[in-house]
Amino acid sequence: MKKIIVAIDGHSSTGKSTMAKALAKYAGYIYVDTGAMYRAVALFAERNGWITDTEINENELKKHLGEIKISFKPNDKGEQDTYLNGENVEKEIRTLEIGNVASRVSAIGFVRRELVRQQQLMGIEKGIVMDGRDIGTVVFPNAELKVFVTGSPEVRARRRHLELIEKGEEADLEAVLANVKERDERDSNRKESPLRKADDAIVIDNTHLNMEEQNEMLRTLFHEKTL
Ligand code: DC
């Protein structure tokens, strides 16, 4: 069967990563969560004190960008954890706060160029499922299968809220909804590679779909492209 590149983009908290992971497992493909890469850069900047409520110290971030080494390694459960300079930061990067900083950091051109370069290298041999915001538009404009996932902000916030609670984290539904809307707004309106559907991407609106229905749709699309 021929190997392809699967690009999955879409809004925050649409379950993109979950469906991308499920497809990668099913197809025996590599899975790359590019959001985790922006989150790792955000954590690095935050730890160094380069982030305030209103500003990012871009000079320092630029100077030290080359020191940020991001990698992925499977854990005991077979899930991929994110590593920042050899340290497992999987839990730390998943907070609402780091999500927000990641959204701000991802609007910076030099950060995007560096991460896009790394992502393109990862896909050189194909057989990869990558999820993010600009995979079908910028990272792999020639990807054989492009999917754009969306859903109503309220439904996405409810799912994300439940996920945080299940992880034992404190979360307020209104705050999660505000976070979802804020990130949609920033991701879609930034100057550098704003979130938008590639012309040839297939839209999956999962407002009324459960995870299994959504996975099934993706598998069907995958088969159509690899036959
Ligand atoms: O998918 P996520 O929520 O983990 O992503 C965190 C932030 O990173 C998100 O607000 C937008 C940004 N991002 C991006 O700009 N481009 C990508 N390819 C992936 C994520």
Side-chain angles (χ1 to χ4, degrees):
M1 206 161 49
K2 75 168 183 192
K3 278 193 184 174
I4 65 167
I5 292 182
V6 182
I8 303 190
D9 291 302
H11 290 106
S12 304
S13 304
T14 42
K16 291 189 301 292
S17 305
T18 310
M19 73 196 272
K21 266 183 233 163
L23 180 68
K25 194 168 176 195
Y26 171 79
Y29 276 24
I30 290 169
Y31 163 65
V32 178
D33 174 357
T34 63
M37 298 173 75
Y38 289 95
R39 285 171 184 264
V41 172
L43 182 64
F44 187 85
E46 168 104 344
R47 282 178 172 177
N48 280 289
W50 301 332
I51 309 282
T52 68
D53 281 351
T54 49
E55 268 173 61
I56 297 176
N57 189 335
E58 292 194 22
N59 285 340
E60 285 300 310
L61 182 55
K62 193 171 195 171
K63 229 190 319 176
H64 296 278
L65 195 63
E67 295 164 22
I68 309 178
K69 301 277 177 270
I70 305 161
S71 55
F72 299 101
K73 259 188 259 168
N75 61 24
D76 300 347
K77 295 186 206 141
E79 294 156 359
Q80 273 190 72
D81 283 350
T82 310
Y83 284 72
L84 169 61
N85 294 335
E87 175 193 351
N88 186 336
V89 292
E90 185 58 36
K91 200 165 154 44
E92 247 181 292
I93 61 167
R94 298 298 168 190
T95 63
L96 284 183
E97 195 206 336
I98 290 297
N100 224 347
V101 179
S103 167
R104 289 167 62 196
V105 156
S106 70
I108 302 172
F110 64 81
V111 172
R112 298 207 72 82
R113 282 190 289 280
E114 175 53 23
L115 294 191
V116 166
R117 186 188 67 80
Q118 295 182 18
Q119 290 153 10
Q120 287 172 333
L121 285 176
M122 294 172 184
I124 232 157
E125 291 181 19
K126 301 205 175 187
I128 192 166
V129 183
M130 193 173 275
D131 83 60
R133 304 292 189 289
D134 60 340
I135 313 305
T137 50
V138 177
V139 182
F140 297 123
N142 297 322
E144 288 84 351
L145 174 57
K146 298 182 188 176
V147 173
F148 189 88
V149 196
T150 187
S152 85
E154 288 73 19
V155 169
R156 286 187 279 134
R158 241 180 284 138
R159 288 184 190 139
R160 179 91 181 100
H161 180 245
L162 201 69
E163 210 177 86
L164 288 168
I165 300 286
E166 279 169 359
K167 278 193 205 159
E169 279 172 40
E170 271 180 41
D172 166 64
L173 182 58
E174 284 306 309
V176 177
L177 179 59
N179 181 276
V180 161
K181 287 184 175 168
E182 188 185 338
R183 289 209 287 151
D184 280 0
E185 168 73 19
R186 191 181 305 113
D187 296 346
S188 308
N189 294 309
R190 67 184 177 214
K191 271 216 301 284
E192 296 278 343
S193 318
L195 169 66
R196 67 168 184 84
K197 182 186 104 52
D199 294 338
D200 51 350
I202 296 152
V203 176
I204 297 184
D205 182 328
N206 65 19
T207 306
H208 304 293
L209 294 179
N210 65 33
M211 211 60 230
E212 192 36 48
E213 290 166 328
Q214 156 166 323
N215 285 344
E216 179 62 37
M217 272 174 106
L218 186 59
R219 276 199 297 267
T220 305
L221 294 170
F222 176 75
H223 282 300
E224 284 169 12
K225 297 287 180 184
T226 49
L227 276 182

